[in-house]
Amino acid sequence: MNISMTRIQAILVKDYKEFSRNYAVSIMILVPLILAFLYNKSGAATINAYFLPINITFSMVTTYIQCCLIAEEKEKNTLRSLMLSPASLGDILIGKSLFVLIVTVVVLALSIFLVGYTPANLVILSIALLLSTVFYIALGTICGLFAKSIMEGSIIVLPVIFIFSFGPLALTLASTYPILKIAEWLPSSQLLLLAEALEGKYSMANVLIPMITIIVSSLLSWIFAAIFYKKRMVD
């Protein structure tokens, strides 16, 4: 697969311009920042409180923006032209993901700062956050490929926002409702469990299991994204 940095850069710049012109999408970056600030002022100092803005960043910023950027391409009938251009699958997927990756990293850093969270092991947590970003970008890509417009994309992404933002909260009810234990294997829940483990004495299993879960989820999501992308090329 040939990768062209020139094409990737062109797609990145185009996404930035589309993002800056669409205030309904760009304003979403404020949601986790405001929530993090309010949590900090309320005195909440638990891992669950720290990670709610982080998980909301992934769902309402990463997934939502990625979904809407791709849905907007489809709405304007420019995605088809991009698919038929000399740009390879790698150029398009990387180019369409790079801008959202940059925005996510910035919003995550600001959210962690505003909420007052100081990770016990910044290196391990940063790797987990980066891997989670890759996963949520894939989810956004899949949602965007299914949507026909920004409005439809905003609706399609709602289950992702609900499940992955508030899924970890279901773990608190798992003792009463055992079926909710399945939420433990959500990447957002695994990220929370990893952070909790890092705060105390942790073993390799405490680190590897969440990391592997997030990596496998990311790989599967990108495989599905590539399959759906190729299907759209022949629709």
Side-chain angles (χ1 to χ4, degrees):
M1 181 186 297
N2 295 324
I3 302 296
S4 170
M5 292 306 300
T6 303
R7 296 190 185 109
I8 291 174
Q9 184 178 0
I11 296 172
L12 171 64
V13 172
K14 181 178 181 298
D15 279 351
Y16 166 72
K17 291 179 179 178
E18 296 291 345
F19 174 80
S20 61
R21 285 194 293 259
N22 194 329
Y23 298 116
V25 176
S26 57
I27 200 173
M28 295 302 291
I29 66 174
L30 298 177
V31 176
L33 299 180
I34 293 172
L35 182 62
F37 177 77
L38 293 176
Y39 265 51
N40 181 282
K41 291 302 180 181
S42 70
T46 64
I47 290 293
N48 283 323
Y50 291 147
F51 269 79
L52 185 56
I54 291 174
N55 283 324
I56 284 181
T57 297
F58 284 133
S59 59
M60 297 190 70
V61 175
T62 311
T63 304
Y64 181 82
I65 293 177
Q66 179 75 354
C67 174
C68 288
L69 287 175
I70 293 177
E72 186 174 19
E73 294 270 16
K74 294 181 69 177
E75 188 175 4
K76 294 180 177 179
N77 293 319
T78 55
L79 185 61
R80 175 70 63 181
S81 300
L82 189 60
M83 290 177 171
L84 298 176
S85 70
S88 67
L89 174 62
D91 293 336
I92 296 173
L93 292 182
I94 294 173
K96 297 298 294 181
S97 304
L98 191 55
F99 173 72
V100 177
L101 175 64
I102 295 171
V103 171
T104 301
V105 170
V106 173
V107 176
L108 277 176
L110 290 174
S111 295
I112 291 172
F113 172 75
L114 289 174
V115 82
Y117 175 43
T118 304
N121 191 315
L122 182 59
V123 175
I124 293 178
L125 186 65
S126 296
I127 295 172
L129 290 173
L130 183 59
L131 292 173
S132 296
T133 303
V134 173
F135 167 72
Y136 284 97
I137 290 175
L139 281 187
T141 302
I142 293 171
C143 291
L145 289 172
F146 274 105
K148 296 179 181 178
S149 65
I150 294 180
M151 182 64 69
E152 189 173 321
S154 300
I155 296 173
I156 289 176
V157 82
L158 286 178
V160 174
I161 293 175
F162 179 78
I163 293 172
F164 290 94
S165 294
F166 302 103
L169 299 179
L171 296 180
T172 61
L173 302 173
S175 57
T176 306
Y177 305 99
I179 193 173
L180 294 179
K181 289 183 179 179
I182 193 173
E184 179 181 344
W185 296 102
L186 292 172
S188 53
S189 298
Q190 289 295 310
L191 184 62
L192 177 61
L193 293 173
L194 172 63
E196 288 177 341
L198 294 176
E199 293 298 318
K201 294 182 179 180
Y202 59 89
S203 63
M204 286 297 294
N206 296 135
V207 175
L208 289 179
I209 292 176
M211 289 289 195
I212 292 173
T213 302
I214 297 172
I215 290 172
V216 170
S217 300
S218 300
L219 289 175
L220 291 175
S221 297
W222 276 110
I223 289 172
F224 284 123
I227 292 172
F228 294 144
Y229 173 85
K230 290 182 176 180
K231 185 177 183 299
R232 289 293 182 268
M233 291 184 68
V234 297
D235 280 349

